[in-house]
Amino acid sequence: MLGQAVVDLLPLVEGESSFEMMVPLHPVPGSPLEPLQSGVKQCSLQVKISVVEPLLTAAQILGSNLLKATLEAAYSVPESFIPVGPVQNYMVGLQVPSVGEKDCPIFFKNGTLKLGGEREPVPRPKKWPIANIVAPGANNIPDAFIVGGPYEEEEGELNHPEDREFRNQSECIKKRIIWDLESRRYLDPTAVVSFQKRIADCRLWPVEITRVPLITAPKGKAARFDKAEDENQLSFHGVAYVNMVPLLYPGVKRIRGAFRVYPYLDSVVYEKTKCLFSLFRDTGHHLIQNNRIGGINSPLSKTVTSKNLKEDKIQASSIKSQSSDTPLETEPSLNHNLEGQQYVDAGTYIVLEIQLNKALVPKRMPEELARRVKEMIPPRPPLTRQTGGAQKAVSGYHMQIKNISRAILDEYYRMFGKQVARLGSDMDSETLEEQKCQLNYELNCSGKYFAFKEQLKHAVVKIVREKYLKTTPFESQEELQTFISELYVFLVDQMHVALSQTMPDDVQGAASTIHTSSEQLRFFAFEAEVNENFDMAAVYYEERLVREPQNLEHWLDYGAFCLLTEDNIKAQKCFRKALSLNQNHIHSLLLCGVMAVLMENYEQAEIFFEDATCLEPTNVVAWTLLGLYYEIQNNDIRMEMAFHEAFKQLQALVLQAQITKEKSTGAVEYAEEGGKVESSLGPCRITSGSTTAIKVEASAEPGAPLSVLDGFVEESSKPRSDSQEPILPVQSQDPASSQKPSNVFVKEIPVKREVSKYQDSSTFLHPTPYGVSQTPTTIFMETIRFLMKVNAMQYVHRVLAHELLCPQGGPSCEYYLVLAQTHLLKKDFAKAEEYLQQAAQMDYLNPNVWGVKGHLYFLSGNHAEAKACYERTISFVVDASEMHFIFLRLGHIYLEEKQYEKAKRTYLQACKRSPSCLTWLGLGIACYRLEEISEAEDALSEANALNNYNAEVWAYLALVSLKAGRQLEAEQAYKYTMKLKLKDEALLAEIHMLQETVGFGNPSF
């Protein structure tokens, strides 16, 4: 034999009836085809394969599938595996459905035992599982390679960061068995259905491993081996349990991972996999027997008995124990398979890959999801401004008037400029009249007058057509004269408007107007929310929408407000409006999905959540919400898939943030500072060191978040010090950051990616880690924070249950704070106090706990306890997340107790941090009570400028005006006080008393 060439016949299974390829010819050792020099071109064969008709019909190809199983290696094998002594055949096998529901075994034989010392190279070629290929290189499958990959992306058991060191040692230093074999199995349509059903019924599939000695059997004596001798040949019988459920995830075609090897015990295998027979010991007997006595594909020369009497008895008793309510005394113990136990002691694991040609569960394509979203919510592009119309016609007329007036003024200064400069203000009316006549004469003589008329003519024609819609001839002379008179009046009025716009600012004398920004309106609306002044909050939100109707953030904020007021229908409309403005906006998609679930429109909810995960696969909240949706639908497999993906993304984001922190600080040994990520806590939690925080770059690009909470936290636009930077804890350093604003005042405002334009917002909008005791972050707590920011309280309770039941989650300080806020919303003060006590026990130094306790006591009327809690909160080194309202309410308590100096200092701090109508009002009241009338007037004027609909502000302005003796202002302020219906009877009585004292201020006297 000169050489061997291997032809892959897979195209015939894929539907082709003829194909042609060039395959390399690999020489066997000693063949004349072996190149004598390197660089000599290798021989190849031109091979053409054809069949009379396709092997499979189109229907069979559509419903069938192709399974590829690749066994790479077994690492960290027992020390008793030595390369010297009798030659051993290391075998691995598993069963899959092939034709119908009949199982087809897959065997991987002839594993090579290596001592270790270096890592296996990647990429390395996969090999054919054929034993009669003797030419070197011919057993490599063309274009098929083992490429490896990060441990964290695997689907197996050893894919956590804490396993990295063990796997590095196992794959570099310790003994291993190498196969690198790929075996293929065709699954007909019936087998595909059976395969899918069996995975759903039993998640774990057994993959057996064993060692059989290679002993040449004497001729004619194959039948003389007795059972006792046969039994001893099946040694080191182990099993790995492969979780095949990921193959039922939508769109998943491949799983690869490391799976630990355990001793093969019938009862344990049956309990985990519902498998009754061993592939090697039972069902593989005939195959091994046939291969031993003459099969060329098997190196075995000695069989293993199908069942010895002892194993028959054990298996029967094991199966019986599964169908009986009473356990059997004859159940084998873990020590029954002593050789297999060595796998556990050594930490042996196999690396296995299962790949399908087509996903068992098709995944919706992103294009299909986008199309479905467009069908449900048609996109509404921004309205383009009209290029014509009446407004533009009038604006054009104004522009021409300004241009002509400038030209006439230039002509006037050319003719009379020196005279005007000489006479100045002493110029009399006769001189002006004379100059006017001379100017008219000059304009008429030079032709400029007619040029100005022609210049203005086109603008007047546009007004006639666009403003008055006159495009046809007039029916009578009277109608024409009437129209000309009306047009003349309109043109003269608009001329005066245009001329007044060209006047200097000092001549116009227009009063300055304070314009509030969109961020200020959002802040004022939030302030009204927390004070339960929902009418005023709605006014602010609606004003933002009127100003910028194409800004989707305004619609999202208004929708969250509608959720707060339990107007779900209006909230859904707002979220859908936001989504129609940008159908790739993740938060809009998620909120539309949440509302669809709340409205029990589950089909649409699935579309929204899936589209969100497709647009931003790294979004932890999107995957978690998708998993919660699948839980509602009782789809456990997809729920597990979504939660698993959420955990992976959370882990990746935290690790990325940790790397960024290490690079920015230049720390070499980051673990010494407590920054090591402990991911051994399972698929629910990520933890970090006790005081480690990650900086968030404000210039982060959209779609590439640097942190877990990217996109949900707004930095304070007015930091307390120049050195303070926005920081983000790896875990929840701010347990109250997600709390609902109404009655609790701990909600943070969701913001855009860009830096906030509102430079007067409160530092309570900035997440401030308290840095004393931190709580690990879980995917569920991340989702709770998002839901709390949008007031989706009905969804929060479901996620809280997951956080509580999560093995690595459970009660935490943040968990109890969220529970407390939900009960504060219901005005259930007893329950809220109970949960706050639990939070304080877990983290006594958390300023947010004391801040929320202060709100609890304030709302329940216990102002003494509230003051104590607020004073404790502001005494901490770092601030709580709701400092704005802590100052507001603490100042209010000081005013009640007539501690005006303390009230003044408190309100001053609030005004510096986040000025609003209420902060200036409180400062004005304190100054007024301290008889500081001038300071009080200044503060109240600021409050009135920010909100001139506050009756209390007008009331104190009336008092200040009465004190200052200004009758007109006092009456005006009193008029608005009564018009806005001041509710404070005591304050109104004080005004009346002062009016009687000074003798003015009430026009009704």
Side-chain angles (χ1 to χ4, degrees), residues 696-707 710-711 752-755:
V696 181
E697 300 295 336
S699 60
E701 297 181 0
L706 294 178
S707 70
D710 187 33
K752 317 170 191 67
R753 303 275 180 168
E754 64 267 16
V755 179

Side-chain angles (χ1 to χ4, degrees), residues 130-393:
I130 304 174
N132 58 354
I133 298 179
V134 295
N139 58 348
N140 294 340
I141 302 176
D143 301 324
F145 298 93
I146 297 172
V147 296
Y151 301 145
E152 292 78 9
E153 296 180 4
E154 295 179 353
E155 301 291 340
E157 303 170 357
L158 300 171
N159 55 357
H160 300 296
E162 64 270 17
D163 302 318
R164 179 182 297 273
E165 182 178 356
F166 169 71
R167 290 194 61 175
N168 284 333
Q169 292 181 356
S170 301
E171 296 174 18
C172 293
I173 303 173
K174 297 184 179 181
K175 297 179 184 178
R176 80 285 306 267
I177 302 172
I178 304 298
W179 283 274
D180 292 344
L181 299 178
E182 177 184 282
S183 183
R184 302 170 179 176
R185 290 296 182 270
Y186 167 76
L187 307 180
D188 66 4
T190 308
V192 171
V193 175
S194 176
F195 186 50
Q196 190 169 349
K197 182 177 182 300
R198 288 176 59 182
I199 294 177
D201 293 341
C202 188
R203 298 173 171 235
L204 300 179
W205 284 43
V207 177
E208 299 181 42
I209 181 172
T210 188
R211 187 181 76 171
V212 179
L214 272 172
I215 302 176
T216 303
K219 293 184 179 181
K221 296 184 179 181
R224 295 184 182 179
F225 292 95
D226 57 11
K227 290 182 179 179
E229 184 182 4
D230 238 359
E231 179 184 355
N232 295 328
Q233 305 307 311
L234 193 64
S235 60
F236 291 94
H237 192 188
V239 61
Y241 301 102
V242 179
N243 184 9
M244 304 285 276
V245 170
L247 290 178
L248 295 184
Y249 297 167
V252 174
K253 299 187 290 185
R254 172 182 176 268
I255 59 173
R256 176 183 179 273
F259 304 92
R260 293 185 182 274
V261 179
Y262 300 92
Y264 190 97
L265 299 173
D266 290 301
S267 59
V268 178
V269 172
Y270 180 79
E271 179 184 356
K272 291 186 176 183
T273 68
K274 301 301 183 290
C275 184
L276 296 174
F277 305 101
S278 166
L279 184 63
F280 291 124
R281 190 192 61 211
D282 304 327
T283 60
H285 165 67
H286 299 292
L287 173 66
I288 298 174
Q289 177 74 14
N290 293 335
N291 286 337
R292 184 191 62 170
I293 61 177
I296 63 173
N297 292 339
S298 174
L300 293 178
S301 58
K302 184 168 184 177
T303 187
V304 179
T305 58
S306 62
K307 292 183 182 180
N308 55 64
L309 295 177
K310 180 178 179 181
E311 289 176 335
D312 259 341
K313 181 177 180 181
I314 293 172
Q315 180 164 327
S317 63
S318 174
I319 297 173
K320 182 178 179 181
S321 67
Q322 297 296 330
S323 60
S324 175
D325 295 334
T326 58
L328 295 178
E329 296 180 359
T330 59
E331 186 77 7
S333 64
L334 286 177
N335 295 327
H336 177 73
N337 189 346
L338 297 179
E339 290 182 336
Q341 184 64 27
Q342 294 187 33
Y343 289 124
V344 178
D345 299 338
T348 305
Y349 63 92
I350 61 173
V351 179
L352 181 69
E353 176 187 271
I354 305 292
Q355 186 173 359
L356 297 170
N357 193 37
K358 295 179 290 187
L360 294 176
V361 180
K363 183 179 181 179
R364 289 190 181 99
M365 299 300 294
E367 296 80 7
E368 179 189 356
L369 292 170
R371 178 182 58 81
R372 295 286 298 275
V373 171
K374 287 182 179 179
E375 290 175 356
M376 292 185 290
I377 305 176
R380 294 179 176 86
L383 297 176
T384 57
R385 295 188 178 275
Q386 296 291 335
T387 57
Q391 183 178 0
K392 185 176 181 180

Side-chain angles (χ1 to χ4, degrees), residues 827-978:
K827 301 297 179 64
D828 187 353
F829 299 131
K831 275 288 185 182
E833 184 174 11
E834 176 185 345
Y835 290 127
L836 285 173
Q837 293 295 341
Q838 295 285 345
Q841 290 179 6
M842 300 192 73
D843 193 352
Y844 191 76
L845 299 178
N846 185 344
N848 291 298
V849 174
W850 292 101
V852 178
K853 286 184 72 174
H855 297 323
L856 166 67
Y857 292 128
F858 185 90
L859 293 172
S860 60
N862 190 345
H863 287 189
E865 289 292 337
K867 183 180 75 170
C869 291
Y870 288 150
E871 289 175 341
R872 180 187 289 267
T873 303
I874 63 177
S875 67
F876 284 106
V877 176
V878 282
D879 291 338
S881 60
E882 69 278 11
M883 292 302 297
H884 175 80
F885 297 100
I886 289 176
F887 283 126
L888 277 182
R889 290 188 161 175
L890 181 58
H892 178 79
I893 295 173
Y894 285 147
L895 289 178
E896 284 184 342
E897 297 179 352
K898 299 183 180 181
Q899 300 183 41
Y900 301 126
E901 284 290 348
K902 290 185 177 180
K904 179 181 177 180
R905 289 196 299 269
T906 303
Y907 280 119
L908 270 174
Q909 293 185 61
C911 290
K912 290 180 181 179
R913 291 170 173 264
S914 50
S916 68
C917 174
L918 297 182
T919 59
W920 288 115
L921 172 61
L923 180 60
I925 295 173
C927 292
Y928 176 79
R929 298 304 179 189
L930 291 171
E931 300 295 331
E932 299 173 357
I933 304 301
S934 176
E935 290 83 351
E937 184 176 7
D938 292 340
L940 292 170
S941 298
E942 290 289 340
N944 187 260
L946 293 176
N947 180 11
N948 57 4
Y949 287 92
N950 191 305
E952 193 172 2
V953 174
W954 286 110
Y956 277 98
L957 280 174
L959 288 174
V960 169
S961 300
L962 291 171
K963 287 277 189 179
R966 297 194 293 266
Q967 180 177 353
L968 180 62
E969 294 179 9
E971 291 180 355
Q972 187 80 359
Y974 177 72
K975 180 181 71 174
Y976 281 110
T977 301
M978 301 306 296

Side-chain angles (χ1 to χ4, degrees), residues 576-588:
R576 293 199 170 206
K577 175 65 177 179
L579 185 58
S580 70
L581 296 174
N582 182 2
Q583 296 195 337
N584 293 331
H585 192 254
I586 300 300
H587 290 182
S588 300

